[in-house]
Amino acid sequence: MRNMDRDANWSLVVPLKPLALAKSRLAPTADDAVRPGLALAFAQDTVAAALACSVVGDVAVVTNDVRASEELAALGARIVPDLSETGLNGALAHGARAVRARRPGAPVAALNADLPALRPAELRRVLERAVDFPRAFLADATGIGTTLLTSGPGVELRPAFGGRSRARHSASGAVEIVLDGVASVRQDVDTGDDLRAAAVLGLGRYTSRRYPVVAGLRLPPARP
């Protein structure tokens, strides 16, 4: 069963918790004063790259954070207030319903908000592979979590992000996407080591411009 044609435009749902609460595992690398802005920069680079992807029609960010809402809306994202009381996966399910209320025939993908090295061409490759399946997912760089979950028109997203989500998404019947050359779509950032790995891939301009030095880690210039 095929999802859709390869030129169809995807609706992406990006969840973002309040910036003051974001990225607590980065505490050894970035202090309390730095982390909220760093989390915002990650989201800005993620959203900007997603909107630049030629097979993405729109990006909906599910958040209640006022600052993030303003900054990400300025990039072209649609802001969906987080009405869920069931955490990350509830927010994603709510976001998927919101985008399908406007674009009922569109395929939907949930995408992590912390992909500061994301490249539009690599995201396109993953989404083009996802069209072969009703539901599909991409594992993160550790092989434990998930950075992307897709569902075709008429197919429920059924997100199960958090922790060992790779195993949960596989058990739910979603097909794992296995591709070489898409490291930027897999490299989310939870720890200092993750940030270093993303820096090697090439950070987007928001992260590299705002935080050229984080806890003694000198980050490279933004990629072109």
Side-chain angles (χ1 to χ4, degrees), residues 23-187:
K23 296 300 155 193
S24 59
R25 291 172 60 190
L26 272 173
T29 302
D31 63 26
D32 292 349
V34 171
R35 285 198 307 278
L38 193 58
L40 175 59
F42 292 168
Q44 288 173 300
D45 282 323
T46 300
V47 168
L51 287 168
C53 179
S54 59
V55 296
V56 172
D58 64 326
V59 174
V61 177
V62 183
T63 189
N64 289 331
D65 191 278
V66 174
R67 178 186 176 194
S69 296
E70 293 174 351
E71 296 286 352
L72 297 173
L75 293 178
R78 175 190 172 200
I79 305 302
V80 176
D82 185 359
L83 304 179
S84 170
E85 297 181 355
T86 55
L88 171 61
N89 292 304
L92 284 169
H94 168 65
R97 289 191 295 270
V99 299
R100 281 186 162 152
R102 297 183 64 177
R103 302 184 68 215
V108 172
L111 181 70
N112 285 7
D114 56 353
L115 298 167
L118 184 63
R119 288 169 167 76
E122 293 184 12
L123 177 60
R124 175 175 179 140
R125 289 189 62 215
V126 175
L127 293 174
E128 286 180 332
R129 178 63 60 88
V131 303
D132 291 327
F133 312 105
R135 290 175 66 243
F137 70 95
L138 185 73
D140 66 11
T142 68
I144 296 172
T146 306
T147 58
L148 181 85
L149 175 70
T150 69
S151 64
V155 180
E156 187 179 357
L157 187 62
R158 295 170 58 196
F161 284 82
R164 297 184 175 276
S165 61
R166 179 187 187 183
R168 290 196 300 274
H169 284 135
S170 181
S172 75
V175 176
E176 182 170 358
I177 297 169
V178 179
L179 283 174
D180 293 328
V182 294
S184 75
V185 197
R186 299 184 64 197
Q187 188 58 67

